[in-house]
Amino acid sequence: MEMLWSGWGDPAKAAPLPEPVAGLLRDLLGVKPVSAPPADPSALTVPASRLAGPALAALTEAVGGPEQLRTDPESRIRHTRGKSTPDLLEIRAGRLDAAPDAVLLPADHDQVLAVLRACSRHRVAVVPFGGGTSVVGGLAPEADGCFVALDLRRLRRLTALDTVSRTATLQPGLRGPEAEALLAAQGFTLGHFPQSFEWATVGGFAAARSSGQASAGYGRFDEMVVGLTVATPEGTLDLGRAPRSAAGPDLRQLVLGSEGTLGVITSVTVRIHPLPESRVYEGWRFPSFDAGAAALRRLAQDGPLPTVLRLSDETETMVGLARPDAIGTADGGPAAGGCLAVTGFEGTAEETARRREQARAVLLDCGGEPLGEAPGEHWARGRYSAPYLRDALLNAGAFAETLETAAFWSAVPALRDAVQRALTETLTAAGTPPLVMCHISHVYPTGASLYFTVVSAQGEDPVAHWAPAKAAACDAIAAAGGTISHHHGVGTDHRTWYTQEVGPLGVAALRAVKAVLDPAGILNPGVLLPSR
């Protein structure tokens, strides 16, 4: 199944915004209906492909024939940009200047290697393409001329399973549900469930340092990876001979998070876990965000640590965004105020019961009010619905976008205040006062991730109206001591702040590595680092 070209996910799951919510947006934020529906893709004019001559011949040979090199309009449209709100607004308006000149579908590592060598020789830029779910400009390179999308959908096998070591080797084109199904058939799970789970791929998880909603229990994706195979224009990197090593710097960590700028991941070996026999999710209410954050910090630092641990602030709790599939309905969430926390426990029945009771004692001691399993189960059922809600908001004339960061616990309160203030002041000054919501999505002994959702009227030019607000928020993150991205990645959107974060010497070091692996600079130019 293909993802909706102008939105998120399965077109059959798209639903209009409930009228009570649409009315509230009109009354509170001045949201007006959109003037025109998304452009009809069949009526769009795609710029003529610039891939021709010797380059076209070489790439056709590299992928095994013309049937695996596509230049038709629909293929190119479906590989244009990612799924950020500005991306979708550009696509819906029919702006296709960022369309690739061709889409290539290699069958294996050797074909990927051949493609990269041909592209390097003919100076054709390459954008690795998995699920197409980037929300930070990771699929819109700064290419001076021709560029191609390297779609890895044909590399989607489980190639090895080591039940003794509990590792699995997966190809990068596997979507989250496909990988889980293959592992479940053998009695295992990866335990990686980001909001993009249904559409994002294993290769994308690695390339962007993804973090799943059960990261408290299973860890981030980069913590799961024990081995990588990477194709580069200069050859192959095979990384990971053992779970840990003192044999020099760990080059796996250099590839993880490199966003397709150093090479194309063609194989990922990950640690796996036995399928849990018990899963329990429940809700807790705290009187304030600070009180809830203190409770989460205590669990993260002193235990017991749930598998899932999240906290919505007062506004997000009131709106019911912890259950996006039920917004506007009577069962959209707790209505008694405060902040909703969700805890989840997975494992054996005995382990789940034990950790749940121990966590319960801590949460009660921190002032939490138990709400039972219903809020947690509601969250679990609707955990992948938020992007569909975003599409419904866009269709109704609202602007909706997210951004995230992370910081040490001592910096979290000031970071949250600074980002909310930056977004509110900038958008209000532009005549589109926003609703800004926040939740803690991932926790560590030393700190936590903050995830913000922003809703406002679209204004006359929604892309232009968002740009200064996003910049102000990024400036606030940097000034408050946060990282520019916890799990969405850098792309082109966060590049300026990433280069500030790592500093000139860090940028020079990464440029030096790229010069060795990609001397022609064809791999995702302008993503992560400036192309010049």
Side-chain angles (χ1 to χ4, degrees), residues 307-523:
T307 308
V308 172
L309 187 57
R310 303 167 63 83
L311 175 72
S312 295
D313 72 1
E314 292 87 347
T315 305
E316 186 170 288
T317 299
M318 175 188 68
V319 171
L321 198 60
R323 192 186 173 195
D325 62 333
I327 282 183
T329 66
D331 59 349
C339 295
L340 174 67
V342 172
T343 58
F345 303 88
E346 299 183 8
T348 65
E350 179 181 357
E351 177 192 12
T352 297
R354 175 180 55 80
R355 289 165 58 216
R356 184 184 181 190
E357 283 306 307
Q358 291 174 342
R360 177 184 177 86
V362 172
L363 294 171
L364 287 171
D365 190 55
C366 290
E369 174 191 349
L371 301 176
E373 295 182 17
E377 294 296 332
H378 288 331
W379 169 82
R381 286 197 296 271
R383 64 162 92 179
Y384 306 127
S385 299
Y388 292 100
L389 174 62
R390 188 266 305 267
D391 287 355
L393 287 165
L394 291 179
N395 293 338
F399 182 94
E401 185 59 301
T402 63
L403 56 92
E404 43 77 32
T405 180
F408 296 114
W409 283 112
S410 58
V412 163
L415 175 62
R416 173 175 169 253
D417 291 345
V419 174
Q420 288 184 323
R421 183 168 58 253
L423 290 167
T424 300
E425 291 179 355
T426 307
L427 289 169
T428 300
T432 54
L435 187 67
V436 181
M437 298 162 276
C438 177
H439 66 258
I440 291 177
S441 57
H442 307 274
V443 300
Y444 308 94
T446 55
S449 169
L450 294 177
Y451 192 102
F452 297 88
T453 301
V454 188
V455 181
S456 72
Q458 289 187 8
E460 294 299 321
D461 185 340
V463 175
H465 117 287
W466 172 243
K470 177 67 180 285
C474 291
D475 286 342
I477 287 171
T483 180
I484 197 57
S485 177
H486 172 264
H487 57 269
H488 282 171
V490 176
T492 56
D493 293 0
H494 295 153
R495 184 183 60 204
T496 297
W497 293 272
Y498 173 68
T499 58
Q500 294 171 5
E501 190 170 317
V502 301
L505 189 58
V507 170
L510 288 173
R511 284 193 183 283
V513 173
K514 185 172 176 64
V516 170
L517 299 177
D518 177 26
I522 61 161
L523 286 167

Side-chain angles (χ1 to χ4, degrees), residues 95-133:
R95 302 187 188 105
L96 299 174
D97 55 298
D101 292 279
V103 178
L104 280 60
L105 292 93
D108 54 30
H109 172 83
D110 288 342
Q111 287 193 359
V112 173
L113 207 58
V115 166
L116 297 185
R117 286 170 172 162
C119 285
S120 184
R121 186 166 61 251
H122 294 283
R123 297 299 194 268
V124 175
V126 180
V127 180
F129 194 99
T133 60

Side-chain angles (χ1 to χ4, degrees), residues 248-332:
D250 190 347
L251 294 182
R252 291 172 293 193
Q253 295 302 318
L254 188 63
V255 173
L256 293 167
S258 61
E259 301 184 28
T261 62
L262 302 180
V264 177
I265 296 167
T266 59
S267 178
V268 183
T269 301
V270 290
R271 70 186 190 200
I272 53 177
H273 307 265
L275 279 170
E277 63 183 52
S278 175
R279 288 187 175 96
V280 180
Y281 304 99
E282 58 188 3
W284 289 79
R285 180 183 288 114
F286 286 89
S288 68
F289 187 78
D290 288 344
L296 267 61
R297 178 169 63 86
R298 183 167 159 186
L299 288 174
Q301 293 179 335
D302 302 325
L305 192 59
T307 308
V308 172
L309 187 57
R310 303 167 63 83
L311 175 72
S312 295
D313 72 1
E314 292 87 347
T315 305
E316 186 170 288
T317 299
M318 175 188 68
V319 171
L321 198 60
R323 192 186 173 195
D325 62 333
I327 282 183
T329 66
D331 59 349

Side-chain angles (χ1 to χ4, degrees), residues 104-171:
L104 280 60
L105 292 93
D108 54 30
H109 172 83
D110 288 342
Q111 287 193 359
V112 173
L113 207 58
V115 166
L116 297 185
R117 286 170 172 162
C119 285
S120 184
R121 186 166 61 251
H122 294 283
R123 297 299 194 268
V124 175
V126 180
V127 180
F129 194 99
T133 60
S134 170
V135 293
V136 292
L139 301 176
E142 292 181 349
D144 291 332
C146 180
F147 79 94
V148 298
L150 187 63
D151 191 320
L152 301 170
R153 69 177 67 185
R154 296 175 68 198
L155 282 74
R156 58 199 308 170
R157 293 188 299 123
L158 167 65
T159 60
L161 184 71
D162 182 344
T163 59
V164 176
S165 305
R166 288 187 178 173
T167 66
T169 302
L170 305 166
Q171 290 187 317

